[in-house]
Amino acid sequence: METATLNQHKVHDSILSCIGDTPMVRLQTLSERTGLEVLAKLEGANPGQSAKDRIALKMIEALECSGDLRAGGTVIETTSGNTGYALAMICAVRRYRCVLVTNDKISKSKLIALRSLGAEVEVCPSKVAPDDARSYYEVAKQIHASTPNSVYVNQYFHTGNTLAHYLSTGPEVWTQCGGDLAHYFAPVGTGGTISGAGKYLKEQDPSVQV
């Protein structure tokens, strides 16, 4: 394709710039039955196929900005799949080593997907207490302690988790709804999506129910 032709289209220099700005789709049947405008935000349209792309990128950027994550560093995280996939994708682009620690409940397909992106995956037993040395939380901490130039992302406590949705998901929802929004629903895992987007939306209109 010639340069002149390329310039007529939006061409991304990196897959990471494709994160966010996901489409909104009207749920026709539910809207008709309720008499309300019911919309769904398609986070599966992110390159890593989930909303976790947003938080993974924001957390990595924060770690880079603070100087905790440096060139050639190792990114370590506990994951059940989606956050790990997003981190593996980002590490492949940014050229970091990625070590993911999961438990034996993970599906074979997710395990293959994580490793296909170059991540090293440690599988730990699931039927142990969180503070057991064999749990995936403790194993991640052990790997971090023994690995120079490494960071343990820890999405459950990293402020970038909530901030990513406050800065991107919330504003996108508000704009796509034209500032006319009554209720916002989101599933809760780590709590980042509903907390970050919800905070932004209620700042725009305190009457929005989250």
Side-chain angles (χ1 to χ4, degrees):
M1 188 178 289
E2 297 177 359
T3 302
T5 305
L6 277 174
N7 290 340
Q8 295 173 14
H9 305 280
K10 186 174 182 180
V11 178
H12 293 268
D13 290 327
S14 165
I15 196 169
L16 303 187
S17 65
C18 299
I19 294 173
D21 196 23
T22 54
M24 193 89 86
V25 175
R26 181 176 294 101
L27 302 184
Q28 300 280 2
T29 301
L30 198 54
S31 295
E32 290 169 5
R33 288 180 178 177
T34 60
L36 304 170
E37 186 89 308
V38 183
L39 309 173
K41 192 152 174 62
L42 302 188
E43 287 298 275
N46 282 303
Q49 301 177 30
S50 84
K52 297 297 187 179
D53 286 8
R54 297 177 187 266
I55 72 166
L57 182 59
K58 182 56 64 178
M59 291 187 297
I60 289 295
E61 289 176 341
L63 290 164
E64 290 172 335
C65 187
S66 68
D68 293 323
L69 180 58
R70 303 182 299 280
T74 299
V75 173
I76 301 162
E77 179 62 327
T78 53
T79 181
S80 58
N82 288 338
T83 301
Y85 191 86
L87 286 170
M89 175 181 68
I90 294 165
C91 287
V93 173
R94 298 279 176 93
R95 301 189 179 184
Y96 297 123
R97 178 188 176 205
C98 184
V99 179
L100 303 173
V101 189
T102 187
N103 62 46
D104 53 21
K105 290 182 179 180
I106 191 170
S107 67
K108 185 178 180 180
S109 60
K110 279 189 176 181
L111 202 54
I112 291 171
L114 294 174
R115 287 173 172 157
S116 72
L117 285 174
E120 300 167 38
V121 186
E122 296 282 339
V123 181
C124 302
S126 56
K127 294 182 178 179
V128 294
D131 58 353
D132 188 294
R134 297 166 296 167
S135 78
Y136 72 154
Y137 302 108
E138 292 302 314
V139 170
K141 294 175 186 176
Q142 293 163 22
I143 294 172
H144 173 44
S146 63
T147 306
N149 190 17
S150 70
V151 292
Y152 174 29
V153 178
N154 200 356
Q155 61 181 304
Y156 299 97
F157 295 96
H158 198 295
T159 56
N161 184 346
T162 302
L163 184 62
H165 294 292
Y166 178 82
L167 295 176
S168 65
T169 312
E172 287 174 28
V173 169
W174 184 252
T175 300
Q176 288 169 314
C177 291
D180 184 12
L181 181 67
H183 296 81
Y184 172 72
F185 296 86
V188 178
T190 61
T193 306
I194 198 164
S195 298
K199 182 175 187 291
Y200 177 87
L201 294 171
K202 287 189 79 68
E203 285 179 355
Q204 310 315 303
D205 181 354
S207 71
V208 173
Q209 297 297 299
V210 177

